[in-house]
Amino acid sequence: MTGPELKFKDQVVIVTGSSSGIGKACAIYFANQGAHVVVNYSSNAEEGQNTLNEILNKGGSAILVQADVSREDDVLALFRETISKFGRLDVLVSNAGLQKDSPFLEMSLQQWQKVIDVNLTGMFLCCRAAARQFIEQEKNATETSHSELSIGKIVMMSSVHDVIPWAGHVNYAASKGGIMMFMKSISQELAPHKIRVNSVSPGAIKTPINKEVWSDPEKYKGLMNLIPYKRIGTPQDVAKAVGWLASDESDYVNGETLYIDGGMTLYPEFADNG
Ligand code: BGC
């Protein structure tokens, strides 16, 4: 990808969990904007390959790396491969996440643990690796290459369920609520290093994670009662917001959560009640 108008020309971007859904859209977005993209998947190699092919077929630059973000060795290897291939890192989109739904009374420790491990511990491992890399490469930068702008950007994938309680999904909601304070705390800690950390919180976005809802006409109708804007979101809606938070256009934005939810967090049930 070439052209002066490309927002992320030659920047290196890791998008965890980019074999499908929002992560995939983010990987494609950054590649279209001129970045070298590290596409990551945990278990579905074929889907990971599809994302990679979509990028390469359009003339983009990307590699595919398998890593389970909840495993420290995998995460370290993911970052090592990124640096050995592209030489640096500019943006981490810490996106990998999953749901293992169950009524609370029946939730197994395994269901709880898996979601916390991937959604929250995975966030910790990836963000720590990215921050260490940003600081390391800044140390090695030449005097003249220092600028006033951020030396590295992290965007975490949270959810409206970092503020909306969600019965039947307490592991997921707890992980996302955890991300909120994790994000704000490391943002406070890393800002003096000129590393920016923010998150996006999507509402209902049409992806495999909630297919059960949007593919069923009755459930879809119910969902619309929760969305004042009266449409389901697209992965591209989220990718564009991630792009803004990862760009220098938002250079003074630190520790913020951007809700991309068609108004889902506006207490829509109060529109004609209360
Ligand atoms: C969940 C989706 C859900 C949406 C709105 C997301 O974080 O992953 O399954 O549709 O929140 O409730």
Side-chain angles (χ1 to χ4, degrees):
M1 292 274 159
T2 52
E5 73 292 353
L6 298 175
K7 272 197 219 148
F8 290 91
K9 187 164 161 38
D10 291 336
Q11 292 196 33
V12 179
V13 182
I14 295 177
V15 186
T16 63
S18 41
S19 49
S20 70
I22 292 172
K24 179 176 183 175
C26 289
I28 291 169
Y29 171 90
F30 281 102
N32 286 342
Q33 293 295 331
H36 303 291
V37 177
V38 179
V39 176
N40 156 254
Y41 70 96
S42 173
S43 53
N44 196 326
E46 197 185 324
E47 286 189 343
Q49 191 63 47
N50 288 343
T51 305
L52 182 74
N53 291 347
E54 256 188 66
I55 292 173
L56 299 181
N57 290 342
K58 277 196 274 176
S61 165
I63 57 169
L64 178 64
V65 183
Q66 188 282 334
D68 173 345
V69 295
S70 69
R71 299 170 64 98
E72 186 170 24
D73 289 352
D74 282 21
V75 171
L76 296 178
L78 168 68
F79 280 75
R80 264 200 313 274
E81 266 192 78
T82 301
I83 304 311
S84 95
K85 175 72 187 173
F86 294 126
R88 58 178 290 109
L89 179 69
D90 298 281
V91 176
L92 166 68
V93 182
S94 197
N95 164 78
L98 46 75
Q99 288 181 216
K100 294 269 174 221
D101 306 329
S102 161
F104 175 54
L105 296 178
E106 281 134 46
M107 187 174 285
S108 66
L109 176 59
Q110 209 186 19
Q111 285 169 316
W112 168 264
Q113 201 82 60
K114 181 76 183 168
V115 171
I116 298 298
D117 282 353
V118 173
N119 295 11
L120 195 52
T121 307
M123 206 60 89
F124 160 71
L125 291 171
C126 292
C127 293
R128 189 185 60 174
R132 286 176 174 169
Q133 175 59 31
F134 294 148
I135 289 169
E136 188 58 29
Q137 66 198 22
E138 182 63 8
K139 258 198 251 155
N140 299 332
T142 58
E143 267 314 304
T144 49
S145 68
H146 291 292
S147 92
E148 281 301 295
L149 296 167
S150 170
I151 64 160
K153 286 86 59 174
I154 295 174
V155 183
M156 299 187 205
M157 197 55 61
S158 186
S159 160
V160 290
H161 298 294
D162 58 14
V163 291
I164 302 179
W166 206 15
H169 311 258
V170 301
N171 46 2
Y172 184 81
S175 74
K176 297 299 183 178
I179 287 172
M180 163 92 84
M181 285 315 289
F182 172 68
M183 181 277 290
K184 287 180 188 287
S185 300
I186 68 166
S187 177
Q188 194 186 58
E189 195 165 336
L190 296 175
H193 292 280
K194 302 229 97 176
I195 296 171
R196 291 194 306 110
V197 184
N198 293 285
S199 60
V200 295
S201 285
I205 309 297
K206 194 172 182 184
T207 71
I209 211 170
N210 52 6
K211 184 160 194 253
E212 190 204 322
V213 179
W214 54 257
S215 59
D216 174 325
E218 267 313 295
K219 288 187 182 165
Y220 188 84
K221 226 172 117 203
L223 181 62
M224 285 305 112
N225 293 330
L226 301 176
I227 306 175
Y229 205 52
K230 299 296 172 209
R231 74 164 171 87
I232 194 163
T234 65
Q236 291 72 26
D237 286 325
V238 182
K240 283 182 267 186
V242 170
W244 180 73
L245 279 174
S247 77
D248 292 336
E249 282 168 44
S250 62
D251 192 60
Y252 208 50
V253 181
N254 297 70
E256 285 299 328
T257 303
L258 184 53
Y259 290 87
I260 304 156
D261 66 352
M264 194 176 237
T265 38
L266 297 174
Y267 296 98
E269 57 282 25
F270 275 78
D272 44 22
N273 281 305

